[in-house]
Each structure stands twice: as structure tokens, then as C-alpha cells.
Amino acid sequence: MRGVVMHAPGDVRVETRENPRIMLPTDAIIRLSATCVCGSDLWPYRGVEAVKGPSPMGHEYVGIVQEVGSEVKNVKPGQFVIGSFFASDNTCPICRAGYQSSCIHREPVGGLGAQAEYLRVPLADGTLVATPDIPSDDLIPSFLAASDVLGTGWFGAVAAEVGPGKTVAVVGDGAVGLLAVLAAKQLGAERIISMSRHEPRQKLAAHYGATHIVTERGDDGVARIKDLTDGLGAHSVIEAVGTQESMMQAIRATRAGGHVGYVGVAHDVELPGEELFFSHVHLHGGPAPVRRFLPELIDLIGTRQIDPGKVFDLTLPLDQAAEGYRAMDERRAIKTLLNP
Ligand SMILES: [Zn+2]
């Protein structure tokens, strides 16, 4: 089969890889209907994370089940399924508490390489959720978004305790930030402030429910949020970048007693203890337990109540994955969908 392999920063190739096989009785093999490039794939692409030799890429996937191991009971060949970036058993105490991305048996799917024609999914019973029917083609991008960016933005909103009557600010205008706006709207936020300085992204934020756009960053961005909230800061702030600046912007834009939901993968972030102590701000976040939200998100997408697939503004055949990475790296695309 064909699959994406990263050899070094900036060096992404589509190569012939061995077809995945059932290795354990709890595995499933799926034929991918669509896959995509993640903002987090750009960290190694830009050399911020080390690339340790040729690495299969990709952790976002939807597709048709081809084959299941002898112990798999919840999904069967022919079904359209969605999974996320950590395989999980969905039965251990941590999963049952809703934190499937910290499952005691979790396995990262990224190492298996979902930017490919076929994928082996470990712990298939716990990881995969089937749609009621085979979806029409126009819904596939939205289901693919549920695999990571929608589920991650949704967790950011839940972690930030978004709810009716609240003012929400979103730091970051990548796919996760934009879908955090969608989640905040669905969860009943009264005002949603998107922090973005890129016009196409501002437009999509408005489409998803942003009521205000703030273009300033850092201290100036915090000052604008305070201006909009009687000097108090937002009730809920979703951090969807992962840098020192974005994290401090999120914490300082939150009012005392408010909540930050941080879902940008942290890179070299150090928090000042004394400032945190006196801020009275709640912090919660981490790798999103997307599996917790999948049944609800699948229903909202299948009934066309939400359209998260709009974040894919570039669609390419899998063979042009290198251009898909480049377009995202240069911010010419928000998110690239790859058709195997
Ligand atoms: Zn578990």
C-alpha cells in the first residue's frame, strides 16, 4: 500500500509500505476513506520535535472495516468507523472516568501511520465507533474532523467549563481553535471571542459562532479581552496553540474563578507558580479523550447539526501529501485532507 513517511524535517514522502495485518485478536484493519495532516505533524516537520529515522505519519482516520481479530465484537467488516489518536480499551477505570487518552492500555495510533491506504487499529472494540449507516461522501470530512480536531476543540470547551451565559475566549485560529468556537456555541456560550489575525480564519470563526474577533496578541490581546468583559476577563478560555505566549495569554485573559481548557500540545511551556497562585484560575487540559465525545459528535454530524469538515480548505490525493504539509506549514491551508 501507499503511505506517508517523514524522513527528516521538511522531508515527507509517499512510499510503498507493507500492508497492515491483524497482530492481536483485539485488532481491526480499516481501509481509509480519508485521512489528513494535523497541526501537531508540523512540530517534527519544522524540526521542533526530533525525527528519529523514517517515521510513518498520521493519526486521524475514518474508514471501512476490512477485517477484525477473533475477540472483536463491537465492530464488523463493512461498517464505517471513526477512531482517535490513542487506541483505548474503554473499560479500565481511567476510561470509565472519561479519560480514554490516558487508558492504562493506550496505544498511540500515530506510530502506525494513518496517512495511508490501510490502518491497523489496536483495541478495536474500545477505540472505534461505527456510524449508523455508510455516510454520504459529503459528510466524510466532518466525520474525519471528529477523529481529532473537533474532539480536541470540544474537550477544550468542556475543560474550560463553557456553558450558558458565559463569555468564552479562544486562543488559536487553527482547526482546533476554530472547532473550539463551534463547540462553545453548541455548549451554549453567550459570547465567543476568537483571537485571530487571518481573515479567512476570522470568517470561519464567525460561521462557527464567534461573536467577537480580537486580532491583538500577548498583553495587548489580554487587554482587549478585559475591555470586553468589564475588566474581569473571560469565564472560559480555550488554549489551542501550545506555546509559552499562548498559555500565558489564556491564563491572563481568564477572570478569577474562571477556567482555562488547554489543548495545544505544550512545547517548552513553563508556568510561574506565584502568578498562578494568585490568579484563582482553574487549569485543565491535555491530550483530548476524543473517544468520550465520539457518539455525541457522530450524531450531531450525521443529523447535519454541525459542519466541522469546513476546516479542510485543501483536499489532495494521498500521493501529494508533501504539498499538503507545505501548504499548512506556510499557512496557505488551515488543514489538508488526503484522499487515499
Ligand atoms: Zn482504558
Side-chain angles (χ1 to χ4, degrees):
M1 69 167 185
R2 309 286 288 159
V4 175
V5 178
M6 187 178 291
H7 285 258
D11 182 2
V12 167
R13 305 179 204 170
V14 178
E15 298 179 348
T16 299
R17 289 180 48 209
E18 200 173 331
N19 276 42
R21 296 177 291 109
I22 299 282
M23 314 266 286
L24 292 169
T26 45
D27 287 347
I29 304 294
I30 67 171
R31 179 170 53 80
L32 289 150
S33 304
T35 180
C36 52
V37 182
C38 185
S40 65
D41 295 333
L42 296 180
W43 293 106
Y45 186 81
R46 290 170 172 161
V48 180
E49 273 173 22
V51 182
K52 301 176 198 95
S55 309
M57 296 297 293
H59 56 260
E60 294 158 278
Y61 53 99
V62 294
I64 304 286
V65 178
Q66 297 294 293
E67 191 185 351
V68 296
S70 58
E71 289 176 22
V72 175
K73 293 180 179 60
N74 297 345
V75 295
K76 53 181 194 286
Q79 284 184 316
F80 183 90
V81 292
I82 301 158
S84 192
F85 45 85
F86 276 118
S88 54
D89 59 18
N90 211 30
T91 55
C92 79
I94 304 296
C95 282
R96 288 204 306 271
Y99 287 84
Q100 290 91 339
S101 41
S102 277
C103 173
I104 61 171
H105 296 121
R106 75 175 184 183
E107 289 189 45
V109 174
L112 304 171
Q115 291 163 6
E117 290 177 85
Y118 295 90
L119 176 70
R120 179 176 71 88
V121 180
L123 303 171
D125 269 346
T127 305
L128 296 172
V129 181
T131 54
D133 307 296
I134 303 292
S136 59
D137 285 352
D138 67 312
L139 285 176
I140 286 178
S142 285
F143 283 122
L144 179 61
S147 175
D148 180 352
V149 282
L150 174 61
T152 295
W154 200 276
F155 175 58
V158 168
E161 307 253 322
V162 170
K166 290 192 177 177
T167 295
V168 179
V170 180
V171 180
D173 63 0
V176 171
L178 291 166
L179 293 174
V181 171
L182 180 157
K185 166 95 174 163
Q186 287 292 315
L187 294 167
E190 185 173 303
R191 295 197 299 171
I192 305 170
I193 305 162
S194 169
M195 307 191 82
S196 171
R197 51 177 59 178
H198 300 270
E199 206 200 331
R201 297 172 190 232
Q202 293 170 354
K203 280 194 178 138
L204 197 47
H207 168 78
Y208 282 144
T211 54
H212 300 70
I213 302 286
V214 164
T215 55
E216 292 86 348
R217 282 189 189 172
D219 292 344
D220 293 340
V222 171
R224 289 284 296 127
I225 302 289
K226 295 254 168 107
D227 285 347
L228 291 165
T229 53
D230 299 326
L232 300 176
H235 299 92
S236 302
V237 178
I238 300 154
E239 192 286 326
V241 182
T243 62
Q244 182 71 25
E245 183 189 41
S246 63
M247 193 70 181
M248 293 316 300
Q249 189 176 317
I251 292 167
R252 290 170 182 160
T254 307
R255 68 178 59 190
H259 295 76
V260 172
Y262 58 97
V263 289
V265 182
H267 282 78
D268 297 323
V269 174
E270 288 187 27
L271 301 181
E274 192 176 331
E275 181 177 346
L276 267 190
F277 181 82
F278 285 102
S279 72
H280 267 153
V281 168
H282 301 71
L283 300 181
H284 184 38
V290 176
R291 178 65 183 80
R292 188 205 306 180
F293 308 108
L294 275 181
E296 181 182 3
L297 300 179
I298 286 171
D299 181 59
L300 288 170
I301 293 165
T303 53
R304 298 181 187 269
Q305 295 178 66
I306 58 173
D307 57 353
K310 271 194 175 5
V311 294
F312 295 106
D313 55 349
L314 178 63
T315 297
L316 294 171
L318 179 68
D319 275 329
Q320 293 176 34
E323 167 56 17
Y325 275 75
R326 244 189 329 270
M328 282 176 65
D329 179 42
E330 294 166 6
R331 288 179 75 86
R332 284 184 281 119
I334 298 172
K335 194 165 176 69
T336 307
L337 184 145
L338 299 171
N339 276 318

